[in-house]
Amino acid sequence: MTIHDDYPLEISNSMNNTQSHFLNHLLRRRLDRVSPEHLRDFSKQQGIDVSKLNTKQKLLDELMSHINIMKDDIKFNQVFNHFLRDFVLSAGVSEYILQVENTDAVSKWINSWKDNTFWGQKHKFEVHISRNLGQKNIKFYTDKQGNIFPELEIEGEGQENHSYESEIIYLPSNIIFLVASSLEEVSQLNGLEEVNYHRTSEFEVIFRKDLNLVEIRGEYQAIKDFVVTAVIDNDNPLSMASSLFIGEEQDTRNSLIRGLRARVGIDSLRKAINGSFLSITSIVNGSKASRVKIDLDELQNSQEETEPTLRELINKVQPTLDKGRISFQYKSKKYSFMITKTGGLRFYEYVPEEVVTYILYTINKIK
């Protein structure tokens, strides 16, 4: 089933109650990623009385009920689109980045699948929703030293001595939600009865205007199967895609696409966003130890560590990082993300899409 344009929740007359329940389950699970603060604000905008809704579960119950009532209202769906774009897509998932020649061709290819289905080596992939989210952009400024400033106002005393280049980057404009069903059947007990089923997960393929990058957010194993199968297939626009791998050279073997890849170093990204390490994990060649993880308190430079033995250890492991958690500041608020062993990003606390856009813009400037 494919749902297009302004009707993300429309259910066809032929759809049975089980399918309808499944789609509502996916939507609720996706909304559950979002912080209660933003769920509450959106509910208030919809005229929902939230004064007595003192748990996240109650907020979701009321919001899902409202969504099901308003699912055929075009104006509501336009507003809901913006909420999806600005607050829902970025919440609680890992992100992997692909470089492609033509993002429109990738989107058209996915939406042209026969029976909305693409068969991977380990999963069946089905189109759940294809959405046009509208256009929203952010202007970033870069100074001569390469420092990036979001929506900087060039005014005030002394600013005339500075020189900035500005560039527009768009928030997600189109998105396709895919459901991955494992081809392997598993079983579990339901009371005294054994029930067989196929594990399912949902991931998101995200497109932005004027940017030849495709973001895929969700579970790594499902995403890897989708991308690898598409590359092997050859007869589609993803066959020539390359992974944009975030990490060190020794780990690029873990990228989505091994043969075609670009790389951004972990410390290079940290420096570009003026970030600090909250933890670092590194491969070591000890007689017994193969990996070292060090938890840190917002460290930018090893010289900030005053204990000589620990400072020496940080100096030793930092050149061979394979994972790291980085804290950074955006518009006076702090956020953090983990760089995964598989070359993706995972944000720890909830982040709006604008913050992800800032990181993506920075990554694109580094490479």
Side-chain angles (χ1 to χ4, degrees), residues 283-292:
I283 297 170
V284 294
N285 295 317
S287 60
K288 296 293 183 181
S290 60
R291 179 174 278 104
V292 170

Side-chain angles (χ1 to χ4, degrees), residues 308-359:
T309 303
L310 292 176
R311 184 169 62 246
E312 183 180 349
L313 177 61
I314 292 169
N315 281 327
K316 182 175 179 60
V317 302
Q318 194 162 345
T320 56
L321 295 180
D322 71 337
K323 288 196 296 185
R325 184 179 174 191
I326 297 173
S327 170
F328 67 101
Q329 188 167 290
Y330 182 84
K331 291 187 174 179
S332 302
K333 188 172 181 179
K334 284 190 175 181
Y335 301 94
S336 70
F337 59 84
M338 169 66 79
I339 295 173
T340 69
K341 186 176 178 61
T342 51
L345 301 172
R346 185 175 182 88
F347 286 86
Y348 269 69
E349 50 285 284
Y350 170 77
V351 294
E353 187 62 43
E354 181 178 335
V355 178
V356 181
T357 299
Y358 164 64
I359 297 298

Side-chain angles (χ1 to χ4, degrees), residues 155-179:
E155 58 183 27
E157 185 177 354
Q159 294 290 349
E160 65 275 6
N161 297 322
H162 294 273
S163 176
Y164 299 92
E165 293 183 1
S166 65
E167 188 174 350
I168 293 289
I169 186 169
Y170 287 84
L171 270 67
S173 51
N174 295 85
I175 182 168
I176 301 173
F177 292 97
L178 299 180
V179 176

